[in-house]
């Protein structure tokens, strides 16, 4: 039997990676409460400010990293730029739908989207990347499908919001995994593209009535805070992904949807239908099987 030893440097790297992952997931877990404070602001204006105030943070990190040339490479490569425009579209959908959902009292459905996302990733890996699936993973995906089907039958409405968010996150993750652009550089490009669209949207909103930004100090501070609330957890997550095992990262990712779920039910007081509780039960069981399967799989060297 071979004993695997860990050097002090490797242990320190692992600890720092876990800390970075916790910061990212704990920040994402506060999103429902944070964006509920901006429920009075048009979701399009909120999305625009998320992009506006993320740019200086991403730019500063790139300067420290000395990777500004990567952005020029994207701009000069039509295929890369087109792909980044596609990921920007997915980011816009994700951000916009999430902000709108919280504002209209549907944060509970956003937590379901985050729970569904890893199972969708497994399915995409199998169907598109030809990755192997274990028997437990197949059972997990089947349970998730049953849960969604039951809710659709019981309530007579497909949980489109959860499925749309989950699919957008999954598609975004797949594209960012396959596009040869670093996480910080890619995020900067996406924010820059979205900012151009954001300027047009904010200008149009300004013709329809007064903008929220500058209307009062509380709203203005919250909109400015959208930058660090958006950019920093993404960067901490990117760092964590390079420093800890994928299985560890996968288990920690349930922190965010669990916090969103608890916030929606106990803080925002959103009602939960019995059919929704049954669906969550199926999803939680599926995720338990998925996590157990991930822990049993050997770590790639």
């Amino acid at each position: 039997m071979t004993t695997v030893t860990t050097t002090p440097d490797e242990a320190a790297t692992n600890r720092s990676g876990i800390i970075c992952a916790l910061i990212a997931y704990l920040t994402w877990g506060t999103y429902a409460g944070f964006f509920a404070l901006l429920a009075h602001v048009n979701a399009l204006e909120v999305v625009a400010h998320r992009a506006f105030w993320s740019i200086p943070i991403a730019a500063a990190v790139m300067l420290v990293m000395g990777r500004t040339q990567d952005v020029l490479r994207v701009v000069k490569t039509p295929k890369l730029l087109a792909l980044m425009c596609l990921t920007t579209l997915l980011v816009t959908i994700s951000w916009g739908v999430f902000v709108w959902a919280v504002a209209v009292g549907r944060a509970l459905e956003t937590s379901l989207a985050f729970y569904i996302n890893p199972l969708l990733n497994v399915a995409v890996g199998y169907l598109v990347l030809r990755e192997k699936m274990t028997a437990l993973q197949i059972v997990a995906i089947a349970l998730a499908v049953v849960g969604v089907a039951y809710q659709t039958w019981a309530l007579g409405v497909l949980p489109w919001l959860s499925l749309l968010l989950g699919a957008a996150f999954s598609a975004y993750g797949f594209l960012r995994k396959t596009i040869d652009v670093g996480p910080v550089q890619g995020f900067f490009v996406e924010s820059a593209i979205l900012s151009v669209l954001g300027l047009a949207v904010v200008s149009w909103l300004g013709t329809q009535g007064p903008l929220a930004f500058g209307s009062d100090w509380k709203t203005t501070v919250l909109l400015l805070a959208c930058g660090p609330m958006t950019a920093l957890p993404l960067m901490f997550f990117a760092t964590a992904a390079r420093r800890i095992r994928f299985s560890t990262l996968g288990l920690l990712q349930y922190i965010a949807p669990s916090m969103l779920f608890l916030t929606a039910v106990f803080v925002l007081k959103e009602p939960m239908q019995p059919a929704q509780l049954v669906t969550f039960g199926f999803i939680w069981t599926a995720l338990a099987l998925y996590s157990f399967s991930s822990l049993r799989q050997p770590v790639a060297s």
Side-chain angles (χ1 to χ4, degrees):
M1 179 177 179
T2 303
T3 302
V4 178
T5 58
T6 303
T7 67
D9 287 343
E10 290 172 336
T13 298
N14 186 62
R15 282 195 300 271
S16 66
I18 290 176
I19 290 172
C20 287
L22 287 173
I23 292 173
Y25 288 127
L26 288 171
T27 303
W28 283 328
T30 66
Y31 269 16
F34 176 79
F35 286 109
L37 299 175
L38 288 166
H40 61 289
V41 182
N42 187 299
L44 293 176
E45 185 175 352
V46 175
V47 171
H49 283 284
R50 291 186 72 174
F52 293 157
W53 309 118
S54 292
I55 288 180
I57 299 174
V61 173
M62 277 198 311
L63 286 172
V64 172
M65 295 171 58
R67 304 303 298 266
T68 53
Q69 292 298 317
D70 292 350
V71 175
L72 294 177
R73 181 172 65 89
V74 172
V75 174
K76 293 179 179 179
T77 309
K79 182 179 179 180
L80 275 181
L81 186 58
L83 288 172
M84 294 306 299
C85 286
L86 181 56
T87 61
T88 303
L89 174 62
L90 293 171
V91 164
T92 305
I93 293 172
S94 300
W95 290 2
V97 172
F98 184 93
V99 171
W100 171 81
V102 172
V104 299
R106 301 177 69 172
L108 192 60
E109 294 177 65
T110 68
S111 71
L112 180 60
F114 278 100
Y115 279 126
I116 289 175
N117 177 246
L119 300 174
L120 287 176
N121 288 343
V122 174
V124 169
Y126 173 75
L127 295 172
V128 180
L129 301 178
R130 303 303 180 188
E131 295 175 350
K132 293 182 179 180
M133 289 176 60
T134 67
L136 283 178
Q137 288 174 338
I138 294 174
V139 172
I141 292 175
L143 285 174
V145 171
V146 170
V148 171
Y150 174 79
Q151 182 174 325
T152 302
W153 172 78
L155 300 181
V157 178
L158 184 73
W160 65 268
L161 194 154
S162 301
L163 293 174
L164 175 61
L165 270 179
F169 287 138
S170 184
Y172 176 79
F174 168 74
L175 287 174
R176 293 297 285 117
K177 178 182 176 65
T178 55
I179 296 174
D180 184 24
V181 180
V184 177
Q185 302 93 305
F187 177 66
F188 175 84
V189 172
E190 290 164 351
S191 298
I193 295 172
L194 184 51
S195 290
V196 174
L197 300 175
L199 283 173
V201 169
V202 168
S203 299
W204 175 77
L205 289 174
T207 65
Q208 308 301 306
L211 295 172
F213 188 80
S215 60
D216 63 85
W217 71 267
K218 180 181 177 181
T219 299
T220 301
V221 169
L222 287 171
L223 289 173
L224 287 170
C226 284
M229 285 290 289
T230 298
L232 294 179
L234 282 170
M235 295 179 190
F236 277 114
F237 175 80
T239 302
R242 293 194 296 268
R243 296 186 178 186
I244 61 177
R245 293 172 55 183
F246 184 75
S247 58
T248 303
L249 194 65
L251 292 175
L252 291 173
Q253 73 180 327
Y254 304 132
I255 292 173
S258 298
M259 290 177 63
L260 291 173
F261 175 86
L262 294 173
T263 301
V265 175
F266 296 107
V267 179
L268 302 179
K269 305 297 183 181
E270 292 188 8
M272 175 180 282
Q273 301 290 337
Q276 289 177 299
L277 185 58
V278 171
T279 297
F280 273 102
F282 273 107
I283 299 297
W284 289 331
T285 303
L287 289 174
L289 292 175
Y290 164 75
S291 300
F292 180 71
S293 174
S294 297
L295 289 174
R296 291 180 60 190
Q297 288 181 317
V299 181
S301 59

